[in-house]
Amino acid sequence: MYSIEWQKRGLPHAHILVWLINKITPDKIDQIVSAEIPDKHIDPNLFDVVTKNMIHGPCGAFNNNSSCMSDGKCTKRYPRKLVSDTITGNDGYPLYRRRSVEDGGKSVVLKVRNIDIEVDNPDNVRARALVPPATTLTAFYSLCQDDLFAKTLLYSEVPKFYTWNASTKKFQRRRQGKAVEGHTNLYSSDALGRLYTVHPNNTECFYLRLLLINIHGPISFQALRTVNGQLCATYRQACQELNLLENDAHWDTTLADASNTARPQQIRTLFAIILTTCFPSNPKDLWEKYKDYMSEDILHRLRAANQNPDIQFTPNVYNEALILIEDICLTIANKALVQLGMPASNRPANNLFDRDLQRETHYDSDELETFVRTNLPQLILEQRIAYDRIMRAITEQSGGQFFIDAPGGTGKTFLLSLILATIRSQNNIALVIASSGIAATLLDAGRATHSALKLPLNLQNTEAPTCNISKNSGMGKVLQTCQIIIWDECTMSHKKALEALDRTLRDFRGNRRIFGGALILLSGDF
């Protein structure tokens, strides 16, 4: 069935509804419907038609006067988000596959206003980086270059004397208001300017904001970082040179008190907490002042091992203390020392933060083999079918996703425990997580999902959440090497929790298949 439409300014087109004898499965959608630039070598005619007639824009920074633009945004929602596979959207409409160039997508070079612009399936990040859109901040820099009065203002004071022209992306002087004494054609109003608040965790943005509310008339980002003629490497350093940061007297006193009574391990923990939650202005100075107290146990162990009481502090001793401090920082905030203003630790390649990895590998194989041998015959038929199918997938390394739908009291935990014991008895890694803390305690080495995967707390408000885990962390290595991931009570979790794990595994395993090709066993009931 079809319906022909004639539009006033376009050619007639048809809306067609087709019934098929054989239903299309989700994996065949991309063979029938395409929202991508065609391959020029496979189908040159289609490529010419699509690139000539079906490429949106480019709009935005390249053509702000495009008919699709409103309030600085494209009303057609371009550029669209890149999607590696077609999925069903939140509103029921599909999000068709739009692959990046690195993922097999195609690109085309278009000429817009005599400028060659590379467009892909059209996330145009590279092109946008070359021609960044004007913002009120960059317009403020330009204003300070040309307007002497503007050079006397802070960024937040600009709206009092200037208005923002959205079409030209420039500030212009107010034409009404109270005349400013000593200046012609300059008027002030009671308009207030404000800067968005920034959490100190977002370090460089936080210090950039701090500079903007203290420096008058900057002409560039580089000018903000220039103090006494010297260009600072970071905004934080510029703030430090300008004495805009509070001193670390509180943290100095805290560490001094702890150094008199606490053990080195306790001082290291305290210092890590200060680094990750209190944001000291100069943590390197605190480290240099108290590093001996934080390293005493390491020195004592070294003297005992070498039976030499004359050994003194060495760079290797301090480096080991830095590694231990970094381990704590990674546990608390998943941040390395260099991200917290500290010198980097020198970790050997085989001594990365592997507490999570050790947790998943320290099992008694003989004890687990006995458990499997004793309990395997007790499986009922349905349990044995599930057990054999999952073990076969592990042996074949085929990956895949399984779901065990079983209400409470039907032996689900018993089956999962047997699967875990079998894999671990073979010295392989099996990660088990659960959506609730109670469910996590029922399985050996079970962990709460949010804690293990470092999921964002506001999952439902995050468009594309990921697990807050470093690829080189212990948990990162677990996710890369585990034979199976068991997620119990998964029906209690938000669907975006699964999407976050999917994105993380694809990245960590370098595999574009769902969940990075890992074997995922979900369980729960409805």
Side-chain angles (χ1 to χ4, degrees):
M1 184 176 70
Y2 65 93
S3 173
I4 303 294
E5 286 188 0
W6 284 266
Q7 294 183 344
K8 293 180 180 179
R9 292 184 298 171
L11 295 173
H13 61 274
H15 293 263
I16 304 173
L17 179 62
V18 180
W19 284 269
L20 300 177
I21 296 176
N22 297 320
K23 185 178 179 181
I24 298 177
T25 56
D27 60 328
K28 295 182 180 178
I29 292 179
D30 292 325
Q31 301 174 18
I32 300 172
V33 181
S34 176
E36 297 185 313
I37 298 174
D39 191 312
K40 184 176 182 179
H41 303 289
I42 296 177
D43 197 334
N45 292 331
L46 181 61
F47 176 85
D48 291 339
V49 171
V50 170
T51 55
K52 181 180 179 181
N53 302 292
M54 300 184 68
I55 299 294
H56 179 80
C59 55
F62 308 111
N63 185 13
N64 194 54
N65 296 322
S66 175
S67 58
C68 66
M69 295 296 292
S70 176
D71 296 329
K73 295 182 180 179
C74 175
T75 57
K76 308 302 181 184
R77 297 183 290 123
Y78 282 93
R80 301 290 179 92
K81 180 183 175 183
L82 292 172
V83 180
S84 58
D85 294 291
T86 297
I87 59 175
T88 301
N90 294 330
D91 55 1
Y93 288 93
L95 298 176
Y96 292 115
R97 181 177 69 181
R98 297 173 186 270
R99 293 172 294 179
S100 65
V101 175
E102 296 77 12
D103 196 23
K106 306 301 177 184
S107 64
V108 61
V109 176
L110 301 179
K111 188 174 288 294
V112 180
R113 293 184 293 179
N114 297 322
I115 299 176
D116 289 336
I117 297 176
E118 182 181 2
V119 178
D120 58 23
N121 291 319
D123 185 33
N124 49 3
V125 174
R126 287 189 295 274
R128 286 181 66 85
L130 294 175
V131 188
T135 65
T136 54
L137 180 55
T138 56
F140 173 53
Y141 295 153
S142 300
L143 181 67
C144 292
Q145 294 177 13
D146 305 325
D147 192 317
L148 293 178
F149 178 75
K151 288 188 67 65
T152 66
L153 302 177
L154 295 172
Y155 181 40
S156 59
E157 296 172 334
V158 173
K160 183 176 181 179
F161 305 96
Y162 299 83
T163 59
W164 174 249
N165 190 318
S167 60
T168 62
K169 300 292 184 181
K170 293 181 178 179
F171 284 107
Q172 59 189 24
R173 288 190 174 188
R174 290 188 175 274
R175 298 177 181 176
Q176 296 178 358
K178 182 180 179 181
V180 179
E181 186 177 352
H183 297 271
T184 59
N185 299 323
L186 185 63
Y187 303 92
S188 66
S189 70
D190 56 358
L192 297 177
R194 68 181 182 88
L195 276 70
Y196 290 110
T197 57
V198 181
H199 194 277
N201 268 338
N202 194 359
T203 52
E204 283 301 272
C205 288
F206 175 80
Y207 295 113
L208 170 61
R209 184 184 187 278
L210 186 58
L211 291 171
L212 287 172
I213 62 177
N214 285 277
I215 295 181
H216 294 80
I219 60 173
S220 67
F221 289 105
Q222 289 76 16
L224 278 175
R225 289 191 285 116
T226 302
V227 181
N228 297 326
Q230 297 295 321
L231 180 64
C232 298
T234 63
Y235 296 115
R236 177 176 186 160
Q237 182 184 349
C239 292
Q240 187 76 42
E241 295 294 331
L242 291 170
N243 297 316
L244 298 179
L245 304 181
E246 293 183 1
N247 61 43
D248 293 331
H250 290 88
W251 318 128
D252 194 335
T253 302
T254 302
L255 289 170
D257 289 344
S259 300
N260 290 329
T261 58
R263 293 179 288 110
Q265 181 182 2
Q266 295 173 315
I267 305 173
R268 290 193 294 265
T269 301
L270 174 63
F271 186 54
I273 293 173
I274 292 174
L275 288 176
T276 54
T277 63
C278 302
F279 314 106
S281 59
N282 201 334
K284 290 182 181 179
D285 286 352
L286 293 175
W287 160 251
E288 290 295 332
K289 189 171 183 178
Y290 296 102
K291 63 182 181 181
D292 287 356
Y293 297 101
M294 300 185 208
S295 311
E296 280 182 340
D297 57 337
I298 302 172
L299 178 63
H300 176 73
R301 188 183 70 237
L302 189 63
R303 287 172 173 173
N306 291 273
Q307 298 183 352
N308 184 357
D310 297 327
I311 295 178
Q312 300 300 315
F313 288 104
T314 64
N316 287 334
V317 172
Y318 295 136
N319 181 64
E320 186 172 345
L322 283 175
I323 292 175
L324 294 173
I325 294 169
E326 188 171 52
D327 288 352
I328 303 172
C329 293
L330 287 167
T331 300
I332 296 174
N334 198 33
K335 289 198 173 190
L337 289 180
V338 291
Q339 297 174 279
L340 299 168
M342 283 284 290
S345 62
N346 182 19
R347 293 176 177 266
N350 61 347
N351 191 34
L352 291 173
F353 179 60
D354 57 359
R355 190 174 302 161
D356 287 301
L357 189 62
Q358 292 176 0
R359 189 205 322 264
E360 303 298 338
T361 54
H362 286 181
Y363 294 99
D364 188 330
S365 299
D366 295 335
E367 182 179 341
L368 292 174
E369 285 180 359
T370 302
F371 176 83
V372 173
R373 199 166 47 246
T374 303
N375 293 283
L376 189 59
Q378 300 182 35
L379 293 177
I380 61 176
L381 178 60
E382 289 83 357
Q383 291 174 324
R384 187 57 189 255
I385 291 174
Y387 175 87
D388 290 340
R389 179 67 185 87
I390 292 168
M391 288 299 109
R392 184 164 66 250
I394 292 175
T395 302
E396 297 172 352
Q397 296 185 346
S398 58
Q401 298 78 47
F402 298 87
F403 180 77
I404 297 178
D405 184 6
T410 57
K412 178 180 59 180
T413 301
F414 177 70
L415 173 61
L416 296 180
S417 298
L418 196 56
I419 293 172
L420 287 171
T422 303
I423 297 171
R424 290 166 174 168
S425 67
Q426 300 167 356
N427 295 317
N428 291 320
I429 297 177
L431 175 63
V432 56
I433 56 180
S435 299
S436 69
I438 297 297
T441 61
L442 299 178
L443 296 167
D444 190 15
R447 303 175 63 185
T449 302
H450 268 80
S451 173
L453 300 182
K454 301 291 189 297
L455 294 173
L457 293 178
N458 56 341
L459 272 172
Q460 67 279 4
N461 298 325
T462 307
E463 182 177 354
T466 57
C467 302
N468 189 23
I469 298 173
S470 168
K471 184 179 288 189
N472 291 325
S473 65
M475 180 53 70
K477 291 190 286 184
V478 169
L479 292 175
Q480 293 174 60
T481 58
C482 63
Q483 294 280 345
I484 189 173
I485 299 176
I486 297 178
W487 190 330
D488 195 16
E489 300 295 349
C490 67
T491 52
M492 295 176 58
S493 295
H494 196 282
K495 70 171 186 175
K496 288 193 175 181
L498 287 164
E499 294 174 4
L501 178 59
D502 174 41
R503 292 188 187 91
T504 302
L505 287 175
R506 292 188 192 210
D507 176 33
F508 283 11
R509 293 183 173 232
N511 190 326
R512 301 307 303 169
R513 293 171 57 196
I514 186 170
F515 291 110
L519 178 59
I520 306 295
L521 175 56
L522 307 174
S523 66
D525 67 89
F526 298 93

